[in-house]
Amino acid sequence: MRTFVLRARAAPTDSAKLLASVGGDAHAEILAHTLMNAIFVAQSHRPDVVVYLVLESTQDYSRSIRFEASAMHEIGGFNEAALLAKVAKALDASRGMGKEETRPVESGVTVQTISFERLVQQLAENHQLYVMEKKGKPIREQAFQGNPCFLLTDHIPMPKNTFHTLDRLGATRITLGKTMLFASQCVVLIHHALDQRQG
């Protein structure tokens, strides 16, 4: 199983605001592009992938939307609008939730009111964490075992104190090169690196 967590610090947890922010400063389209590149391949999807989108621009609690590729049905189209509609549906389903509640949205999709830090703490219990960092270990030199979980961020860099938390959780810092890439591009390169090893 491969797990990806995208921390979208600027993404609104209100569905109308989210959809209105596409192409704007919040860059909501990053959510759709990352989801698309994590789950889909030509004429199919990757069954062994889970994606968490953590939206943090909120009046109450961050929202973590979990997509399990093997359980998803009727995705509605291989395009930005269809995938953002899935995110919006999950946000609508999360209205009125208390802290750290979980609700099913549809087959393969659940939403939880949980912070990025708390989610990562939970994932660390049965995943090896990897975080993108410019000065990290080159991915080609990194061995991967068990359930790797890759932590990504939107256009807003991960705060320094988050790296301290991740270090305490045993996260490994890896890099895909000197050029800063979009999260959606990182996902493609990570998949490629792991696919090559599976031969």
Side-chain angles (χ1 to χ4, degrees):
M1 186 68 74
R2 300 175 189 177
T3 301
F4 296 91
V5 179
L6 174 64
R7 183 180 194 176
R9 297 179 67 197
T13 58
D14 177 274
S15 61
K17 289 180 180 176
L18 179 83
L19 296 175
S21 71
V22 173
D25 292 343
H27 295 293
E29 62 276 7
I30 290 173
L31 300 171
H33 299 167
T34 302
L35 191 57
M36 189 182 299
N37 287 336
I39 291 177
F40 297 109
V41 290
Q43 300 179 347
S44 188
H45 68 274
R46 293 178 178 271
D48 59 343
V49 172
V50 172
V51 179
Y52 293 85
L53 303 178
V54 185
L55 291 71
E56 293 190 340
S57 181
T58 182
Q59 297 295 314
D60 49 19
Y61 309 109
S62 295
R63 302 295 198 276
S64 170
I65 307 171
R66 182 182 188 271
F67 296 86
E68 184 178 350
S70 61
M72 290 175 70
H73 304 297
E74 297 178 23
I75 290 165
F78 178 71
N79 59 69
E80 187 178 285
L83 295 174
L84 285 175
K86 293 280 187 196
V87 175
K89 182 178 179 181
L91 294 178
D92 288 341
S94 75
R95 285 183 187 151
M97 288 171 64
K99 187 177 182 181
E100 294 191 12
E101 278 189 46
T102 304
R103 274 185 192 164
V105 180
E106 60 182 63
S107 181
V109 184
T110 54
V111 62
Q112 190 174 17
T113 41
I114 190 171
S115 68
F116 172 81
E117 287 82 2
R118 185 78 187 98
L119 173 66
V120 170
Q121 284 175 0
Q122 292 179 359
L123 290 171
E125 294 173 11
N126 51 18
H127 295 76
Q128 175 57 50
L129 304 178
Y130 298 92
V131 61
M132 299 295 110
E133 209 264 333
K134 221 173 190 177
K135 296 179 181 176
K137 186 175 184 179
I139 194 168
R140 65 181 176 276
E141 299 173 11
Q142 178 65 50
F144 295 101
Q145 299 163 352
N147 291 323
C149 176
F150 301 92
L151 309 176
L152 308 155
T153 187
D154 61 6
H155 58 290
I156 303 173
M158 204 80 81
K160 284 185 179 176
N161 61 344
T162 296
F163 277 107
H164 297 320
T165 301
L166 294 176
D167 287 342
R168 287 196 297 274
L169 292 172
T172 300
R173 302 185 190 195
I174 59 173
T175 183
L176 294 165
K178 295 178 182 177
T179 304
M180 289 289 283
L181 302 171
F182 289 127
S184 56
Q185 295 170 326
C186 292
V187 167
V188 173
L189 293 175
I190 291 166
H191 270 319
H192 178 69
L194 295 179
D195 289 347
Q196 293 293 96
R197 291 163 203 224
Q198 290 177 348

